[in-house]
Amino acid sequence: MATKSELVARMEEVLQQPDVERSAEVVDTLKEAFEELVASEQEAAKAAAAELGTEAEQEAPKAVDGQFPPPAAQPQLPPQPIESAPLTDEEDKKFKQLLDAFNTKVNDIRRKRQKEEADNLAQKQAIMKELRELISNEENIGNAFQRFTELGEQWKNIGTIPQQSYRELQHDYSQLREEFFYHIRIYKELRDHDLRKNTALKQALVADMEAVQRVDSVREAEDLVKDYQDKWHQIGPVVKEDREAVRDAFWNATRVVYDRINDHYKARRSEHEANLASKQALVAKVLELVKQAEQEEPRDWKVATDQVLELQNAWKSIGFATKKDNERVWKEFRTGCNAFFDLKNAHYAAIKDKFKAVRLKKEALIAEALELKESTAWKQTADKLKHLQQQWKEAGSAGQRDEHKLWGRFREACDAFFRSRQENFAKQDEEQASHVKEREDLIAEIDNYTLTGDRNADITALKGFSGRWLNGGRTSPRDQERLGRNYRNALDKKYGSLKMNDDERRKMAFNDRMEDLAAAPDGKERIEKEARSMKRKIEELEIEVRQAEENMGKFSFKSAAGAAMKKEMERGMEKTRQEIQRLQTQYKELIRSMREPKPVPAASGGEPVQE
């Protein structure tokens, strides 16, 4: 489609043509194309205003000087003709000026032609009046013929006259000329010469008129037939015996040309009517697409849009419709297309708002991920990042334009953390592998330890093994259970040989644990952590007892098997209560140790002082 600048340039070219009146159809085509561009800009402005209006609606309107702003603009009607449309830019003004100049120029030409035709008509009527007087009153044939010739020359040199007066005036003029020649005696030699000359001229016009039948351009044929008729009427009478034959030949040839012209315009009218029917069918199709889009939003707007664009291309391939209907059916088609694209724009505006909301949410997730990027709290941070990744998936798409870039930034932040964590874990794996070897060596040393028989010395030795175990480095969870089981089995064998009961063993192990915790640089924090862990364990066991008591209330223990099951459940509950009691005792000792001041060495020897 041509641009505004191209249409303005084409309009300027039309105005430079000598006969601008014949360019009326071209100007109408340029005007329609320009109005379509103006309509497209108006629709684009309306879409932009609608988008701005969506943001403006977030705030309540405020009164200015006691007046509230006007309500939002209603949907626009189809664009106005350029003559009455608002001029938004310099190209609009330039095209309007050129169009006005064209109309002014055409109107001036028509007014001038009308005046010239009226003047010409008056001149020809004066000539005819003088001819009548010449025929009636002139007795001098020489003078009469001379004046007759002069009047004929004047008649030929007078331009066109109003079409409605042409035929009658020309007929009367021809009759006067024939009357002059046939009612006034002239020199026979001159009359015969003129008659033969006129006969030859009119026979030549017959041949010219017959040649017009073979002219391809109907417009050219119209101009020629009119020109030849004017020449025919300007030529005087012919030889009497040839008059009817020449006249009939000329007018028969003229009639054939007019029949062809009439057939052309009849076919053109039929073509215009067929074009009108085709355009009305396209209007019906586009309105059906609009109706479907209103009732149920298309699954694929691209497919629906392609259908509308196909209809628009089909419209361009159809020629003009009948003059009275062409503008009307075009407005109907344009209104339907505008309605469809309004629906489409509203759909994508909603998607754009949705994408904007998702984009803002994902930018917030990226900001959180960047804050966690350098964290060394591996477990907690990994959980947070996994949660952010889940939120990312649930947020949906931010649109083809932004989604890939946002995901790249988010993934880079996550990958940076997990690379650091992987490098740290790889280092830990190396350390833990060495700690596994140390603990396996310690277990082997416990297995190989031979009791001395001195109970206190053996207990001290075994406590030393426990201390070394507690102070040993961390191992991976997959090795911890195996090593712990082997460690406990090794100690149990040694303590079993010393014949210590379980209570003594547990108490001693707890005391050892307390001593190890207290001796650590962060002993207070470790004891607090141990107390919290123990409290949670007590709460879990108490819940377990309550759940067992509730379960016992749900069963019937009347049978022997039921009684056995009840006894087993009671033993289990009693064992759990004892464990709770033992842990509560240890918990109290932990709390008491946290409250007791930690002894520190005296500044100058002597007794230790309390912190």
Side-chain angles (χ1 to χ4, degrees):
M1 179 177 289
T3 64
K4 284 186 175 182
S5 298
E6 292 172 346
L7 294 177
V8 169
R10 180 66 182 124
M11 195 69 177
E12 289 175 338
E13 292 176 2
V14 170
L15 284 175
Q16 297 302 319
Q17 297 178 1
D19 189 359
V20 296
E21 189 177 12
R22 286 194 174 188
S23 303
E25 188 172 341
V26 174
V27 171
D28 288 341
T29 302
L30 295 176
K31 177 174 173 289
E32 284 184 8
F34 198 91
E35 289 173 351
E36 289 181 22
L37 293 178
V38 173
S40 299
E41 291 181 352
Q42 290 175 345
E43 293 303 322
K46 182 174 72 175
E51 182 175 359
L52 293 175
T54 303
E55 297 177 357
E57 287 175 1
Q58 302 300 321
E59 298 180 4
K62 299 181 180 179
V64 178
D65 297 331
Q67 299 293 326
F68 283 91
Q74 299 296 321
Q76 294 184 355
L77 295 174
Q80 299 177 348
I82 192 65
E83 291 87 351
S84 59
L87 305 179
T88 59
D89 56 32
E90 292 301 319
E91 289 179 329
D92 291 353
K93 296 177 182 178
K94 180 65 175 177
F95 189 88
K96 176 64 166 54
Q97 291 172 356
L98 293 172
L99 184 61
D100 290 341
F102 171 81
N103 291 331
T104 300
K105 199 168 184 180
V106 169
N107 291 334
D108 290 342
I109 291 172
R110 290 174 179 172
R111 283 193 294 270
K112 182 179 179 181
R113 184 172 65 243
Q114 289 173 357
K115 184 178 184 305
E116 289 175 352
E117 289 177 350
D119 293 340
N120 294 338
L121 177 60
Q123 292 179 37
K124 287 193 173 185
Q125 287 173 341
I127 290 174
M128 290 179 65
K129 180 179 179 182
E130 186 173 350
L131 274 175
R132 290 189 183 96
E133 293 175 354
L134 184 65
I135 292 170
S136 302
N137 302 324
E138 184 62 56
E139 295 179 356
N140 188 319
I141 298 302
N143 292 339
F145 186 81
Q146 183 179 357
R147 183 55 182 162
F148 177 82
T149 303
E150 291 173 355
L151 292 175
E153 288 299 320
Q154 291 180 18
W155 181 277
K156 286 191 295 183
N157 293 329
I158 296 173
T160 58
I161 64 174
Q163 187 66 31
Q164 64 271 20
S165 303
Y166 175 83
R167 179 174 295 181
E168 181 179 355
L169 185 68
Q170 195 66 46
H171 178 268
D172 293 344
Y173 176 71
S174 298
Q175 290 293 333
L176 286 173
R177 286 178 63 84
E178 289 185 4
E179 186 177 353
F180 176 84
F181 282 104
Y182 288 108
H183 291 82
I184 298 179
R185 292 181 179 183
I186 61 174
Y187 295 103
K188 185 179 183 302
E189 294 82 1
L190 180 61
R191 182 185 66 186
D192 291 344
H193 175 270
D194 287 341
L195 291 176
R196 287 192 298 272
K197 178 182 176 181
N198 293 340
T199 300
L201 291 173
K202 287 195 172 182
Q203 286 174 339
L205 281 178
V206 170
D208 290 339
M209 188 64 77
E210 290 174 346
V212 174
Q213 300 172 12
R214 298 184 291 275
V215 174
D216 293 333
S217 172
V218 173
R219 177 62 65 85
E220 184 180 353
E222 285 184 291
D223 293 339
L224 289 174
V225 73
K226 185 177 180 181
D227 182 47
Y228 292 161
Q229 287 182 83
D230 288 342
K231 290 180 179 179
W232 175 272
H233 293 302
Q234 291 170 10
I235 299 173
V238 300
V239 177
K240 187 174 182 180
E241 56 269 23
D242 295 330
R243 182 172 59 183
E244 291 185 3
V246 173
R247 180 192 63 196
D248 292 343
F250 179 80
W251 292 112
N252 287 337
T254 303
R255 191 175 299 108
V256 171
V257 175
Y258 274 122
D259 288 343
R260 179 192 170 199
I261 293 173
N262 292 333
D263 290 342
H264 167 77
Y265 284 111
K266 183 178 179 181
R268 189 174 180 183
R269 283 193 296 272
S270 298
E271 180 184 351
H272 286 178
E273 291 173 356
N275 291 342
L276 175 61
S278 299
K279 289 185 174 183
Q280 288 173 332
L282 294 180
V283 170
K285 289 180 180 179
V286 77
L287 291 179
E288 180 61 25
L289 288 174
V290 172
K291 182 179 179 182
Q292 292 175 2
E294 289 174 342
Q295 293 177 349
E296 183 177 357
E297 189 172 280
R299 294 183 178 178
D300 191 339
W301 275 98
K302 184 180 184 305
V303 172
T305 302
D306 289 343
Q307 292 175 344
V308 174
L309 294 178
E310 287 176 4
L311 295 179
Q312 291 180 340
N313 290 331
W315 184 279
K316 294 175 183 177
S317 66
I318 300 173
F320 281 97
T322 55
K323 188 173 183 180
K324 65 177 181 178
D325 295 313
N326 196 65
E327 181 66 19
R328 172 187 59 80
V329 73
W330 161 243
K331 288 181 178 179
E332 291 176 358
F333 183 74
R334 184 175 59 192
T335 300
C337 292
N338 290 343
F340 173 83
F341 286 110
D342 285 345
L343 292 172
K344 178 184 176 182
N345 291 337
H347 166 77
Y348 281 105
I351 291 179
K352 185 177 180 181
D353 291 341
K354 179 181 177 182
F355 283 164
K356 181 179 179 181
V358 173
R359 184 180 72 250
L360 294 175
K361 184 173 182 180
K362 289 194 171 183
E363 286 176 346
L365 294 176
I366 291 171
E368 292 186 51
L370 290 173
E371 290 180 358
L372 298 173
K373 178 179 177 181
E374 305 296 335
S375 174
T376 56
W378 307 117
K379 179 64 171 65
Q380 298 88 334
T381 304
D383 291 341
K384 290 179 181 178
L385 287 175
K386 289 176 182 178
H387 181 64
L388 293 181
Q389 290 172 345
Q390 183 62 33
Q391 288 181 288
W392 185 280
K393 293 178 181 178
E394 295 172 354
S397 173
Q400 186 176 4
R401 185 188 67 180
D402 297 322
E403 180 65 24
H404 183 71
K405 293 186 291 185
L406 292 170
W407 169 245
R409 292 168 57 198
F410 181 72
R411 185 177 61 183
E412 190 278 331
C414 294
D415 289 349
F417 167 79
F418 285 111
R419 280 196 301 270
S420 298
R421 189 183 73 157
Q422 185 176 6
E423 293 171 359
N424 178 75
F425 283 175
K427 182 178 179 181
Q428 286 184 357
D429 288 343
E430 294 178 2
E431 295 176 351
Q432 289 175 356
S434 65
H435 295 160
V436 168
K437 181 65 170 60
E438 292 174 357
R439 288 181 180 272
E440 287 176 342
D441 292 344
L442 179 59
I443 293 171
E445 187 177 347
I446 295 172
D447 286 335
N448 296 328
Y449 177 74
T450 302
L451 298 176
T452 63
D454 185 345
R455 193 170 188 274
N456 291 332
D458 289 334
I459 290 174
T460 300
L462 293 177
K463 289 174 64 177
F465 290 139
S466 298
R468 288 166 60 189
W469 180 270
L470 292 173
N471 293 324
R474 296 181 61 184
T475 61
S476 65
R478 65 175 179 272
D479 296 319
Q480 187 173 358
E481 183 177 355
R482 174 181 61 82
L483 293 172
R485 182 173 61 253
N486 294 339
Y487 165 72
R488 289 190 297 273
N489 291 337
L491 278 183
D492 287 345
K493 288 180 182 179
K494 300 305 177 183
Y495 280 118
S497 299
L498 293 175
K499 302 187 182 302
M500 295 179 66
N501 59 39
D502 291 341
D503 289 339
E504 289 178 323
R505 288 275 310 281
R506 282 194 291 270
K507 185 174 182 180
M508 186 175 65
F510 177 72
N511 291 334
D512 291 343
R513 175 68 174 163
M514 289 288 292
E515 290 176 1
D516 291 336
L517 293 175
D522 56 345
K524 188 173 181 180
E525 288 77 9
R526 291 193 179 191
I527 291 174
E528 289 178 352
K529 182 178 179 181
E530 185 77 11
R532 289 195 298 271
S533 177
M534 189 172 293
K535 185 177 181 182
R536 285 196 300 271
K537 181 64 176 176
I538 292 171
E539 292 172 350
E540 292 172 359
L541 293 174
E542 288 175 342
I543 293 173
E544 183 178 333
V545 170
R546 287 195 297 272
Q547 186 65 43
E549 290 174 346
E550 292 177 2
N551 291 337
M552 285 184 66
K554 297 177 182 179
F555 293 102
S556 174
F557 300 104
K558 295 181 180 180
S559 63
M565 184 175 68
K566 180 180 180 182
K567 189 174 181 180
E568 181 65 25
M569 291 177 70
E570 288 175 344
R571 280 200 299 269
M573 290 167 58
E574 181 60 29
K575 185 176 180 181
T576 302
R577 291 190 185 97
Q578 291 176 359
E579 179 67 12
I580 292 172
Q581 186 176 1
R582 183 182 67 80
L583 291 175
Q584 287 176 340
T585 300
Q586 292 180 356
Y587 179 73
K588 291 177 181 179
E589 291 183 9
L590 285 171
I591 298 301
R592 184 168 55 253
S593 66
M594 290 166 53
R595 293 174 179 172
E596 289 178 353
K598 181 179 179 181
V600 297
S604 59
E607 296 296 327
V609 297
Q610 304 296 326
E611 285 185 340

